Amino acid sequence: MHGEPATTFQLTLPDWLAEFACAPPVCADDDARIAFAIELARRNVEHGTNGPFGAAVFDGAGQLVSVGVNQVVAQRCSLAHAEILALALAQRKLQRFRLNGDGGHYTLATSAQPCCQCFGALIWAGIDVLLIGARGEDVEALTEFDEGPLPADWIAKLQRRGIRVQRDLRREESREVLREYTRRGGARY
Amino acid sequence: MHGEPATTFQLTLPDWLAEFACAPPVCADDDARIAFAIELARRNVEHGTNGPFGAAVFDGAGQLVSVGVNQVVAQRCSLAHAEILALALAQRKLQRFRLNGDGGHYTLATSAQPCCQCFGALIWAGIDVLLIGARGEDVEALTEFDEGPLPADWIAKLQRRGIRVQRDLRREESREVLREYTRRGGARY
């Protein structure tokens, strides 16, 4: 192989997220959960060169389980979308590959519509509710990002698998984060 | 949060794959590359409780860059599909989030058709060629696994993004690995 053999990889939250790991909030309803995800996206834009996206997993009581922000550029990994980090960290914390495998109820809140990669990943992750801020068309209109190919009826496909989907939550607030990212020069700054 | 905060997660190849990391082969053509991926799947079935799937990334000269096998159960992570491990390990080795960002030419060979998660992930990973053994319908007929929702014209969607797709390569050989997995009791053994 080229250089050292690669037998392991890891993805890590940036240091500035430590405060949430130490003092996780309870977000009682959909509005509070999406507000939290959008706040993560906003801080990710403030902190650096990664995409303007944030996500969080909550349990049935609204207790935060895990957070994620886009880290593709910093961690040189195309998997490192906000939703992927949040889901994988929740699985690590709960020590199971299907979050609701214990009969619990889990919500993924994401500041913007999942791309094709995250759409596929959330199907296997064991969540019951998907909360979305900005739409895919907002992402594509306001940034250089591409959502990729989703099934035409992607929302129906999720609902049929028992995942409730709620979108357009604080949509304008999430759109403003996307605009701010682009104002700062997008992936190039 | 529940228990310890989770700020990092990692996925690791099983120990029995170390030999490939130490002495990576060159696979000169599509047939040799898919044979290699199917052999990984076969060994993964022999070694344990994980899904009957293997994948590998090759560079333009046919030199192995990385390998992956399904590790969902062992590593308690729904992301840990063979293709995801192979792609993430290749990105780690080459230190970039788009493999062909250097102008090189990369192939992902996978023993069976990518599910919805891996379909999405490979779009962002920077590969030029996708080689597939068994079809999705083989996976669903011969094992308990589900491919998830793909766009109806998923092959055309990949080709339009510059990814050449070749399927039914050693299909029967890969189907035999799927059958062997089920004979051994599938995910329950």
Side-chain angles (χ1 to χ4, degrees):
Chain A
M1 299 193 198
H2 309 253
E4 285 294 292
T7 59
T8 187
F9 77 96
Q10 67 176 36
L11 296 175
T12 303
L13 293 178
D15 291 343
W16 58 268
L17 273 170
E19 65 169 297
F20 292 116
C22 295
V26 174
C27 294
D29 58 18
D30 288 357
D31 183 66
R33 294 171 198 176
I34 202 72
F36 182 78
I38 295 171
E39 176 64 12
L40 295 177
R42 195 183 64 71
R43 294 201 196 183
N44 205 39
V45 170
E46 280 177 2
H47 276 88
T49 59
N50 294 287
F53 307 110
V57 173
F58 299 91
D59 70 13
Q63 175 84 50
L64 184 69
V65 178
S66 64
V67 298
V69 290
N70 183 290
Q71 288 286 294
V72 168
V73 172
Q75 300 189 33
R76 298 173 184 170
C77 179
S78 61
L79 279 176
H81 289 198
E83 298 94 323
I84 298 285
L85 264 76
L87 293 171
L89 291 170
Q91 292 178 349
R92 177 168 181 273
K93 175 184 290 287
L94 302 181
Q95 287 289 298
R96 55 182 178 264
F97 61 78
R98 194 172 294 271
L99 294 171
N100 57 13
D102 68 338
H105 187 274
Y106 294 89
T107 294
L108 175 68
T110 179
S111 66
Q113 182 180 312
C115 77
C116 56
Q117 169 175 273
C118 298
F119 167 78
L122 68 88
I123 285 177
W124 307 136
I127 62 162
D128 303 282
V129 180
L130 173 64
L131 306 177
I132 303 171
R135 292 199 178 200
E137 63 217 59
D138 299 330
V139 172
E140 294 189 344
L142 299 174
T143 73
E144 81 278 19
F145 293 101
D146 171 5
E147 291 283 287
L150 292 170
D153 57 343
W154 62 275
I155 293 179
K157 291 262 196 281
L158 293 174
Q159 314 246 48
R160 219 170 298 142
R161 285 170 181 262
I163 300 173
R164 174 171 76 83
V165 179
Q166 189 81 43
R167 61 177 174 172
D168 297 339
L169 297 167
R170 294 185 179 241
R171 179 177 177 186
E172 184 49 32
E173 194 174 316
S174 179
R175 284 168 55 91
E176 183 50 29
V177 174
L178 301 175
R179 278 189 211 100
E180 175 61 17
Y181 170 80
T182 298
R183 271 195 294 270
R184 290 178 182 229
R188 293 169 296 283
Y189 75 96
Chain B
M1 299 193 200
H2 308 253
E4 284 295 290
T7 59
T8 187
F9 76 96
Q10 68 177 36
L11 294 175
T12 303
L13 292 178
D15 290 344
W16 58 268
L17 274 169
E19 66 168 297
F20 293 116
C22 296
V26 173
C27 294
D29 57 20
D30 288 357
D31 183 65
R33 294 170 199 176
I34 202 72
F36 183 78
I38 294 170
E39 175 64 12
L40 294 177
R42 196 183 63 71
R43 294 200 195 184
N44 205 39
V45 170
E46 279 177 1
H47 276 88
T49 58
N50 294 287
F53 307 109
V57 173
F58 298 92
D59 69 13
Q63 174 84 53
L64 184 68
V65 179
S66 63
V67 297
V69 289
N70 184 290
Q71 289 285 294
V72 168
V73 171
Q75 299 190 34
R76 298 175 183 167
C77 179
S78 61
L79 278 176
H81 289 199
E83 299 94 321
I84 298 284
L85 263 75
L87 294 170
L89 290 170
Q91 291 177 349
R92 176 169 181 272
K93 176 185 288 289
L94 302 181
Q95 288 289 298
R96 53 180 179 267
F97 61 79
R98 192 172 295 271
L99 293 171
N100 58 11
D102 69 338
H105 186 275
Y106 294 89
T107 294
L108 175 69
T110 179
S111 65
Q113 181 179 313
C115 75
C116 56
Q117 170 175 273
C118 297
F119 167 79
L122 69 87
I123 285 177
W124 307 137
I127 63 162
D128 303 282
V129 180
L130 174 65
L131 306 178
I132 303 172
R135 291 199 181 199
E137 63 217 58
D138 299 329
V139 173
E140 295 189 344
L142 300 172
T143 73
E144 80 277 18
F145 293 102
D146 170 7
E147 291 284 285
L150 292 169
D153 56 342
W154 62 275
I155 293 180
K157 291 262 195 284
L158 292 174
Q159 313 248 46
R160 218 170 298 141
R161 284 169 183 263
I163 300 173
R164 174 170 76 82
V165 179
Q166 189 82 41
R167 62 176 173 171
D168 296 338
L169 297 167
R170 295 184 179 241
R171 179 178 176 185
E172 184 48 32
E173 194 174 317
S174 179
R175 285 168 54 91
E176 183 49 29
V177 174
L178 301 176
R179 279 189 211 101
E180 175 61 17
Y181 170 80
T182 297
R183 271 196 293 270
R184 291 178 180 228
R188 294 169 298 282
Y189 76 102

